[in-house]
Amino acid sequence: MTKKEEPPLSRVPRAVRVASLLSEGEELSGDDQEDEDEDDHAYEGVPNGGWHTSSLSLSLPSTIAAPHPMDGPPGGSTPVTPVIKAGWLDKNPPQGSYIYQKRWVRLDADHLRYFDSNKDAYSKRFISVACISRVAAIGDQKFEVITNNRTFAFRAESDVERKEWMQALQQAMAEQRARARLSSAYLLGVPGSEQPDRAGSLELRGFKNKLYVAVVGDKVQLYKNLEVLRGHRTSPLPMPAYPPCPHPVPPALQEYHLGIGITFIDMSVGNVKEVDRRSFDLTTPYRIFSFSADSELEKEQWLEAMQGAVAEALSTSEVAERVWAAAPNRFCADCGAPQPDWASINLCVVICKRCAGEHRGLGAGVSKVRSLKMDRKVWTETLIELFLQLGNGAGNRFWAANVPPSEALQPSSSPSTRRCHLEAKYREGKYRRYHPLFGNQEELDKALCAAVTTTDLAETQALLGCGAGISCFSGDPEAPTPLALAEQAGQTLQMEFLRNNRTTEVPRLDSMKPLEKHYSVILPTVSHSGFLYKTASAGKLLQDRRAREEFSRRWCVLSDGVLSYYENERAVTPNGEIRASEIVCLAVPLPDTHGFEHTFEVYTEGERLYLFGLESMEQAHEWVKCIAKAFVPPLAEDLLARDFERLGRLPYKAGLSLQRAQEGWFSLSGSELRAVFPEGPCEEPLQLRKLQELSIQGDSENQVLVLVERRRTLYIQGERRLDFMGWLGAIQKAAASMGDTLSEQQLGDSDIPVIVYRCVDYITQCGLTSEGIYRKCGQTSKTQRLLESLRQDARSVHLKEGEQHVDDVSSALKRFLRDLPDGLFTRAQRLAWLEASEIEDEEEKVSRYRELLVRLPPVNRATVKALISHLYCVQCFSDTNQMNVHNLAIVFGPTLFQTDGQDYKAGRVVEDLINHYVVVFSVDEEELRKQREEITAIVKMRVAGTASGTQHAGDFICTVYLEEKKAETEQHVKIPASMTAEELTLEILDRRNVGIREKDYWTCFEVNEREEAERPLHFAEKVLPILHGLGTDSHLVVKKHQAMEAMLLYLASRVSDTKHGMMKFREDRSLLGLGLPSGGFHDRYFILNSSCLRLYKEVRSHRPEKEWPVKSLRVYLGVKKKLRPPTCWGFTVVHETEKHEKQQWYLCCDTQMELREWFATFLFVQHDGLVWPSEPSRVSRAVPEVRLGSVSLIPLRGSENEMRRSVAAFTADPLSLLRNV
């Protein structure tokens, strides 16, 4: 092959110098040369990535593929089709002109393309190899590329070069046909075709005629014209499933039909953005393509299709290639389309993009759709192996065992056909292979428990698909569920399959509850029509204000469960429609949020948001009411009786049923969230401003909104990100403070504003002994910042010693109370309170105060009591803080009554309320006792903390887990000093609505993850000291004590109170000094009695080597594995000496029963024979009141000497300070 230099620019024909996307003569079949020239001029000046022929360098040999701008695009993971041959050829126009045009020609496995230059990114023409019928030589170094309706003539430099091109083309054609025979498309007569995601006519800036554009996979293809898209073939086919071109162009050559186009754009380097109502830009590093659609709706659909192509182009095929290693997985499980790149991870089938869209419509309860190419995090090694073991082969043998040929899907099936088929296949189980045990629930559950312990995944799939309970009880307390059995048997694939199907609905042909099968609910017929103003649908929340100009006037009709919108009232074909069954949320923003005063938002399952607007409030309200009636089922129709800001359905978990998410209906109105759950039609209101916790758990892809009330916890899942983010923002806003009045603040259980509680609690913790507390002012800037954060979301603010100064906190509290618009004592009653202070008779005055207290609003009344209770505690330490009753009255009188300080009567009211605290507020003996116990604990821990050099700060709010440590099982509980392990256990069970049955031994365990050991707390053991001693690798969990019944039986039957025997012993050499050889366990003889535990070297030894007082020992079940214990029945013993030094060693028993006997004896002697409460039925009991505004549980601030001086009398008799009241 001889090298051929590129001719100088002056010798290059004009057609070479124009842009690559221009039309040229041979494109105008049937037209004369004048038309060719006219077209040529019409397209001149269109840029092609900035490449100009003036910059062309010497050409490469035609046998070598030249570097090309689109080869290996940066950042793209789409595999690049290798170039078979490239080089310069002369091309003859179809009119037979003798003027040949020089073209750079590239051949790859799929296309033959030619360009103006070897630097151009986009071709002038491409010809699909699949559409080439033959290649023939015609003399004078010429050859023809012949398709069904077109012939392209080329001329090479020599006969040798012509032969090379012909051989390369013939080889590419043969390989293309071989590949086509392997695909199901070939069987349909569509060799090499791929259904487009969207196709139709668009205007492209720089072209006088519309182009036909097709989005196929990760590419956007441009064609000159086409009337009807039918694939690369000549025989007729049924219409494919995509919207037809609304403006047909003359058939002409029907280029798409022939597989002959202008160019295609690799979307791995593309980016799509909206320009105006009908226009959008496709931007690449080489060129900006400016398209215009015929309508706003079409533009939105084109944007969505091209954005999908970008996502597909940037994806990776590694997972797909591995999953396709199993032959059945190479074709869609539903329609048979080749190379499916989506999957349903719970059904374990691989599906194409078109079927994936319909799978999503079924809901996550039926099919959980994930991409093989984009959802990389999902595809673990275990999940990939599961698809290789099950996949489409086993899946269709079960789900499609009885599909009639007439009902089978094809790759070209329409969306409605797919939807009906997939609902019948997966939601109803119409075509499934019925298991022999179908209908016998008990036998199905037993068979499932047996199957999960084996490798028979197909059997597990069949059992679950026929109704076996995924959370059924196995009969084994050690492994109560099928998942636990699979884990016990080491069946990782079975575990993966069970986890993915935790929330999968059982297919049923019979009618189901409305909330379980919302798509089949017969909703009341609602009809409404009128003009609405609508913006383009969006795929994300509307953060910015939409101007009035962005709305388009549309005639809208709501009928038969479909909301259709038309260009005008005379139009026959709607611009678009929203089915009521696809609506998941209806939201009503505040007036004047957007350009129209009244607007509402509609969210759909397809993650689209539609915004509508009207000027009339009555008309907007009527539309909202009608749309709500159209999509809310009868079970939840009570939610429509009140106005709402947001209404819709969401998956949730509650109570102890956390394995399976259900769908509930929710309505948000003000700060109240109403809910209707499947288990009961009655509404369950949640007061959002009274929540104990409002948090978000999980990662960005699987977020869960956690709402904690005193008696329950609700988990709302983010299955659909768009409407979930809308709910999240609305709930967070509703749970925040709504205004400046007390009743509009975030409230605690006792109706005390959280902002007051936070400040009072912190000062009780850290400032009771601070000199001049409340009299001294904090720094203005810090006080202002703190007050702003508290007003914004007091629940999320946790004040901690060392981070905030007590004077800043006290100033923030005073500022908040002074700035209340109505005041703490209200404007209406303020004068009556001041007049009452002038009553001379003390009893009459106290009685008057009590009358006025009752007249206050509930929130004000609770806040007054909490504040006066706190001030009473402050004055108890006046010897240290110098703030007696009179001084506090001087500070708080003007603050609470919002006076200028000149009226002495305001201070007298505060002074009287503090002095007569017990009588005015009816404080009983039980409440006084709780204050005594709590303050006693504070004093003791504060003195101990200062003596050891440690200080405690922050709220004692403990995270406790139910049954296992997981995000969805955690509970946040405030721990009073008097709370026992039994009370904590019952508190957790009450929150989750867990009833205690006979022989249910629910216990709180202290779990040490580092030591791999756990200790069941004694039911009477105080939790607070344990909480202080917990390390970062320890936590508390409430679960059933499986061995308690066996231990109680042993204790009831034994003769002696002592226990003795041989055990394997190992010391921790870093802590003990017994002189035993290191590196293993050794046999030792132990005797345990009511006073001590003794260790002997052997049975015959008379003197113990070591002796420990039994009540100073902490015994944990379990021994960490790295010590290589000789048996699995061991426990870890920890001993703390009088000098607070810890010693630790490990004991192992030969049998499980022996371990239980030793542990039971430890509990018996340590707790004087009371191992379990005598009345085990403790379902109903008085829950310890945890009052906001009560005395704090956190130690006080101050040095040890200061504390000892200020609380000496209190420590001796804590109630002495209360007797003078």
Side-chain angles (χ1 to χ4, degrees), residues 702-714:
N702 300 290
Q703 289 187 326
V704 178
L705 178 62
V706 183
L707 298 93
V708 180
E709 283 190 313
R710 178 170 176 76
R711 307 283 292 187
R712 61 174 171 167
T713 301
L714 179 67

mmCIF file with all atom_site columns, all heavy atoms in Angstrom, residues 702-714:
data_model
loop_
_atom_site.group_PDB
_atom_site.id
_atom_site.type_symbol
_atom_site.label_atom_id
_atom_site.label_alt_id
_atom_site.label_comp_id
_atom_site.label_asym_id
_atom_site.label_entity_id
_atom_site.label_seq_id
_atom_site.pdbx_PDB_ins_code
_atom_site.Cartn_x
_atom_site.Cartn_y
_atom_site.Cartn_z
_atom_site.occupancy
_atom_site.B_iso_or_equiv
_atom_site.pdbx_formal_charge
_atom_site.auth_seq_id
_atom_site.auth_comp_id
_atom_site.auth_asym_id
_atom_site.auth_atom_id
_atom_site.pdbx_PDB_model_num
ATOM 1   N N   . ASN A 1 702 ? -31.016 4.504  50.212 1.00 0.00 ? 702 ASN A N   1
ATOM 2   C CA  . ASN A 1 702 ? -32.037 3.779  50.976 1.00 0.00 ? 702 ASN A CA  1
ATOM 3   C C   . ASN A 1 702 ? -32.296 4.514  52.279 1.00 0.00 ? 702 ASN A C   1
ATOM 4   O O   . ASN A 1 702 ? -31.945 4.031  53.355 1.00 0.00 ? 702 ASN A O   1
ATOM 5   C CB  . ASN A 1 702 ? -31.584 2.334  51.250 1.00 0.00 ? 702 ASN A CB  1
ATOM 6   C CG  . ASN A 1 702 ? -31.328 1.556  49.986 1.00 0.00 ? 702 ASN A CG  1
ATOM 7   O OD1 . ASN A 1 702 ? -32.251 1.218  49.253 1.00 0.00 ? 702 ASN A OD1 1
ATOM 8   N ND2 . ASN A 1 702 ? -30.063 1.273  49.702 1.00 0.00 ? 702 ASN A ND2 1
ATOM 9   N N   . GLN A 1 703 ? -32.912 5.684  52.187 1.00 0.00 ? 703 GLN A N   1
ATOM 10  C CA  . GLN A 1 703 ? -33.148 6.487  53.368 1.00 0.00 ? 703 GLN A CA  1
ATOM 11  C C   . GLN A 1 703 ? -34.422 6.057  54.072 1.00 0.00 ? 703 GLN A C   1
ATOM 12  O O   . GLN A 1 703 ? -35.382 5.600  53.447 1.00 0.00 ? 703 GLN A O   1
ATOM 13  C CB  . GLN A 1 703 ? -33.244 7.963  52.988 1.00 0.00 ? 703 GLN A CB  1
ATOM 14  C CG  . GLN A 1 703 ? -31.911 8.574  52.577 1.00 0.00 ? 703 GLN A CG  1
ATOM 15  C CD  . GLN A 1 703 ? -32.004 10.066 52.370 1.00 0.00 ? 703 GLN A CD  1
ATOM 16  O OE1 . GLN A 1 703 ? -33.028 10.581 51.925 1.00 0.00 ? 703 GLN A OE1 1
ATOM 17  N NE2 . GLN A 1 703 ? -30.944 10.776 52.689 1.00 0.00 ? 703 GLN A NE2 1
ATOM 18  N N   . VAL A 1 704 ? -34.410 6.194  55.397 1.00 0.00 ? 704 VAL A N   1
ATOM 19  C CA  . VAL A 1 704 ? -35.558 5.868  56.233 1.00 0.00 ? 704 VAL A CA  1
ATOM 20  C C   . VAL A 1 704 ? -35.784 7.040  57.184 1.00 0.00 ? 704 VAL A C   1
ATOM 21  O O   . VAL A 1 704 ? -34.853 7.493  57.850 1.00 0.00 ? 704 VAL A O   1
ATOM 22  C CB  . VAL A 1 704 ? -35.333 4.565  57.036 1.00 0.00 ? 704 VAL A CB  1
ATOM 23  C CG1 . VAL A 1 704 ? -36.527 4.285  57.938 1.00 0.00 ? 704 VAL A CG1 1
ATOM 24  C CG2 . VAL A 1 704 ? -35.097 3.397  56.090 1.00 0.00 ? 704 VAL A CG2 1
ATOM 25  N N   . LEU A 1 705 ? -37.015 7.527  57.237 1.00 0.00 ? 705 LEU A N   1
ATOM 26  C CA  . LEU A 1 705 ? -37.380 8.592  58.163 1.00 0.00 ? 705 LEU A CA  1
ATOM 27  C C   . LEU A 1 705 ? -37.910 7.946  59.433 1.00 0.00 ? 705 LEU A C   1
ATOM 28  O O   . LEU A 1 705 ? -38.860 7.165  59.390 1.00 0.00 ? 705 LEU A O   1
ATOM 29  C CB  . LEU A 1 705 ? -38.435 9.500  57.527 1.00 0.00 ? 705 LEU A CB  1
ATOM 30  C CG  . LEU A 1 705 ? -38.965 10.644 58.387 1.00 0.00 ? 705 LEU A CG  1
ATOM 31  C CD1 . LEU A 1 705 ? -37.846 11.603 58.764 1.00 0.00 ? 705 LEU A CD1 1
ATOM 32  C CD2 . LEU A 1 705 ? -40.087 11.378 57.675 1.00 0.00 ? 705 LEU A CD2 1
ATOM 33  N N   . VAL A 1 706 ? -37.283 8.258  60.574 1.00 0.00 ? 706 VAL A N   1
ATOM 34  C CA  . VAL A 1 706 ? -37.635 7.653  61.862 1.00 0.00 ? 706 VAL A CA  1
ATOM 35  C C   . VAL A 1 706 ? -38.387 8.677  62.698 1.00 0.00 ? 706 VAL A C   1
ATOM 36  O O   . VAL A 1 706 ? -37.879 9.775  62.960 1.00 0.00 ? 706 VAL A O   1
ATOM 37  C CB  . VAL A 1 706 ? -36.380 7.176  62.610 1.00 0.00 ? 706 VAL A CB  1
ATOM 38  C CG1 . VAL A 1 706 ? -36.775 6.491  63.907 1.00 0.00 ? 706 VAL A CG1 1
ATOM 39  C CG2 . VAL A 1 706 ? -35.570 6.241  61.730 1.00 0.00 ? 706 VAL A CG2 1
ATOM 40  N N   . LEU A 1 707 ? -39.606 8.324  63.108 1.00 0.00 ? 707 LEU A N   1
ATOM 41  C CA  . LEU A 1 707 ? -40.409 9.178  63.970 1.00 0.00 ? 707 LEU A CA  1
ATOM 42  C C   . LEU A 1 707 ? -40.654 8.427  65.271 1.00 0.00 ? 707 LEU A C   1
ATOM 43  O O   . LEU A 1 707 ? -41.264 7.346  65.263 1.00 0.00 ? 707 LEU A O   1
ATOM 44  C CB  . LEU A 1 707 ? -41.742 9.544  63.317 1.00 0.00 ? 707 LEU A CB  1
ATOM 45  C CG  . LEU A 1 707 ? -41.669 10.332 62.003 1.00 0.00 ? 707 LEU A CG  1
ATOM 46  C CD1 . LEU A 1 707 ? -41.688 9.382  60.817 1.00 0.00 ? 707 LEU A CD1 1
ATOM 47  C CD2 . LEU A 1 707 ? -42.828 11.302 61.876 1.00 0.00 ? 707 LEU A CD2 1
ATOM 48  N N   . VAL A 1 708 ? -40.182 8.958  66.382 1.00 0.00 ? 708 VAL A N   1
ATOM 49  C CA  . VAL A 1 708 ? -40.271 8.286  67.679 1.00 0.00 ? 708 VAL A CA  1
ATOM 50  C C   . VAL A 1 708 ? -41.230 9.043  68.571 1.00 0.00 ? 708 VAL A C   1
ATOM 51  O O   . VAL A 1 708 ? -41.020 10.226 68.872 1.00 0.00 ? 708 VAL A O   1
ATOM 52  C CB  . VAL A 1 708 ? -38.885 8.185  68.352 1.00 0.00 ? 708 VAL A CB  1
ATOM 53  C CG1 . VAL A 1 708 ? -39.007 7.477  69.694 1.00 0.00 ? 708 VAL A CG1 1
ATOM 54  C CG2 . VAL A 1 708 ? -37.912 7.445  67.448 1.00 0.00 ? 708 VAL A CG2 1
ATOM 55  N N   . GLU A 1 709 ? -42.299 8.392  68.965 1.00 0.00 ? 709 GLU A N   1
ATOM 56  C CA  . GLU A 1 709 ? -43.191 8.896  70.002 1.00 0.00 ? 709 GLU A CA  1
ATOM 57  C C   . GLU A 1 709 ? -42.854 8.171  71.306 1.00 0.00 ? 709 GLU A C   1
ATOM 58  O O   . GLU A 1 709 ? -41.993 7.298  71.343 1.00 0.00 ? 709 GLU A O   1
ATOM 59  C CB  . GLU A 1 709 ? -44.646 8.631  69.623 1.00 0.00 ? 709 GLU A CB  1
ATOM 60  C CG  . GLU A 1 709 ? -45.196 9.572  68.584 1.00 0.00 ? 709 GLU A CG  1
ATOM 61  C CD  . GLU A 1 709 ? -46.691 9.414  68.421 1.00 0.00 ? 709 GLU A CD  1
ATOM 62  O OE1 . GLU A 1 709 ? -47.150 8.261  68.306 1.00 0.00 ? 709 GLU A OE1 1
ATOM 63  O OE2 . GLU A 1 709 ? -47.392 10.418 68.422 1.00 0.00 ? 709 GLU A OE2 1
ATOM 64  N N   . ARG A 1 710 ? -43.565 8.560  72.353 1.00 0.00 ? 710 ARG A N   1
ATOM 65  C CA  . ARG A 1 710 ? -43.269 7.935  73.637 1.00 0.00 ? 710 ARG A CA  1
ATOM 66  C C   . ARG A 1 710 ? -43.561 6.441  73.631 1.00 0.00 ? 710 ARG A C   1
ATOM 67  O O   . ARG A 1 710 ? -42.837 5.656  74.213 1.00 0.00 ? 710 ARG A O   1
ATOM 68  C CB  . ARG A 1 710 ? -44.063 8.619  74.754 1.00 0.00 ? 710 ARG A CB  1
ATOM 69  C CG  . ARG A 1 710 ? -43.850 7.985  76.112 1.00 0.00 ? 710 ARG A CG  1
ATOM 70  C CD  . ARG A 1 710 ? -44.447 8.818  77.213 1.00 0.00 ? 710 ARG A CD  1
ATOM 71  N NE  . ARG A 1 710 ? -44.314 8.145  78.489 1.00 0.00 ? 710 ARG A NE  1
ATOM 72  C CZ  . ARG A 1 710 ? -43.204 8.064  79.177 1.00 0.00 ? 710 ARG A CZ  1
ATOM 73  N NH1 . ARG A 1 710 ? -42.105 8.603  78.712 1.00 0.00 ? 710 ARG A NH1 1
ATOM 74  N NH2 . ARG A 1 710 ? -43.161 7.441  80.345 1.00 0.00 ? 710 ARG A NH2 1
ATOM 75  N N   . ARG A 1 711 ? -44.591 6.046  72.934 1.00 0.00 ? 711 ARG A N   1
ATOM 76  C CA  . ARG A 1 711 ? -45.023 4.654  73.015 1.00 0.00 ? 711 ARG A CA  1
ATOM 77  C C   . ARG A 1 711 ? -44.787 3.866  71.740 1.00 0.00 ? 711 ARG A C   1
ATOM 78  O O   . ARG A 1 711 ? -45.123 2.690  71.678 1.00 0.00 ? 711 ARG A O   1
ATOM 79  C CB  . ARG A 1 711 ? -46.527 4.600  73.344 1.00 0.00 ? 711 ARG A CB  1
ATOM 80  C CG  . ARG A 1 711 ? -46.949 5.382  74.541 1.00 0.00 ? 711 ARG A CG  1
ATOM 81  C CD  . ARG A 1 711 ? -46.604 4.703  75.827 1.00 0.00 ? 711 ARG A CD  1
ATOM 82  N NE  . ARG A 1 711 ? -47.380 3.490  76.030 1.00 0.00 ? 711 ARG A NE  1
ATOM 83  C CZ  . ARG A 1 711 ? -47.355 2.787  77.150 1.00 0.00 ? 711 ARG A CZ  1
ATOM 84  N NH1 . ARG A 1 711 ? -46.596 3.176  78.139 1.00 0.00 ? 711 ARG A NH1 1
ATOM 85  N NH2 . ARG A 1 711 ? -48.062 1.701  77.271 1.00 0.00 ? 711 ARG A NH2 1
ATOM 86  N N   . ARG A 1 712 ? -44.233 4.468  70.706 1.00 0.00 ? 712 ARG A N   1
ATOM 87  C CA  . ARG A 1 712 ? -44.043 3.720  69.454 1.00 0.00 ? 712 ARG A CA  1
ATOM 88  C C   . ARG A 1 712 ? -43.015 4.418  68.577 1.00 0.00 ? 712 ARG A C   1
ATOM 89  O O   . ARG A 1 712 ? -42.687 5.582  68.769 1.00 0.00 ? 712 ARG A O   1
ATOM 90  C CB  . ARG A 1 712 ? -45.355 3.579  68.699 1.00 0.00 ? 712 ARG A CB  1
ATOM 91  C CG  . ARG A 1 712 ? -45.963 4.912  68.287 1.00 0.00 ? 712 ARG A CG  1
ATOM 92  C CD  . ARG A 1 712 ? -47.177 4.728  67.420 1.00 0.00 ? 712 ARG A CD  1
ATOM 93  N NE  . ARG A 1 712 ? -47.869 5.995  67.198 1.00 0.00 ? 712 ARG A NE  1
ATOM 94  C CZ  . ARG A 1 712 ? -48.809 6.167  66.294 1.00 0.00 ? 712 ARG A CZ  1
ATOM 95  N NH1 . ARG A 1 712 ? -49.163 5.163  65.524 1.00 0.00 ? 712 ARG A NH1 1
ATOM 96  N NH2 . ARG A 1 712 ? -49.412 7.331  66.144 1.00 0.00 ? 712 ARG A NH2 1
ATOM 97  N N   . THR A 1 713 ? -42.545 3.652  67.604 1.00 0.00 ? 713 THR A N   1
ATOM 98  C CA  . THR A 1 713 ? -41.598 4.160  66.618 1.00 0.00 ? 713 THR A CA  1
ATOM 99  C C   . THR A 1 713 ? -42.122 3.805  65.229 1.00 0.00 ? 713 THR A C   1
ATOM 100 O O   . THR A 1 713 ? -42.567 2.688  64.984 1.00 0.00 ? 713 THR A O   1
ATOM 101 C CB  . THR A 1 713 ? -40.204 3.549  66.817 1.00 0.00 ? 713 THR A CB  1
ATOM 102 O OG1 . THR A 1 713 ? -39.738 3.871  68.127 1.00 0.00 ? 713 THR A OG1 1
ATOM 103 C CG2 . THR A 1 713 ? -39.222 4.092  65.795 1.00 0.00 ? 713 THR A CG2 1
ATOM 104 N N   . LEU A 1 714 ? -42.073 4.773  64.323 1.00 0.00 ? 714 LEU A N   1
ATOM 105 C CA  . LEU A 1 714 ? -42.564 4.582  62.959 1.00 0.00 ? 714 LEU A CA  1
ATOM 106 C C   . LEU A 1 714 ? -41.417 4.832  61.994 1.00 0.00 ? 714 LEU A C   1
ATOM 107 O O   . LEU A 1 714 ? -40.714 5.842  62.089 1.00 0.00 ? 714 LEU A O   1
ATOM 108 C CB  . LEU A 1 714 ? -43.720 5.550  62.675 1.00 0.00 ? 714 LEU A CB  1
ATOM 109 C CG  . LEU A 1 714 ? -44.345 5.501  61.276 1.00 0.00 ? 714 LEU A CG  1
ATOM 110 C CD1 . LEU A 1 714 ? -45.051 4.172  61.067 1.00 0.00 ? 714 LEU A CD1 1
ATOM 111 C CD2 . LEU A 1 714 ? -45.323 6.649  61.094 1.00 0.00 ? 714 LEU A CD2 1
#
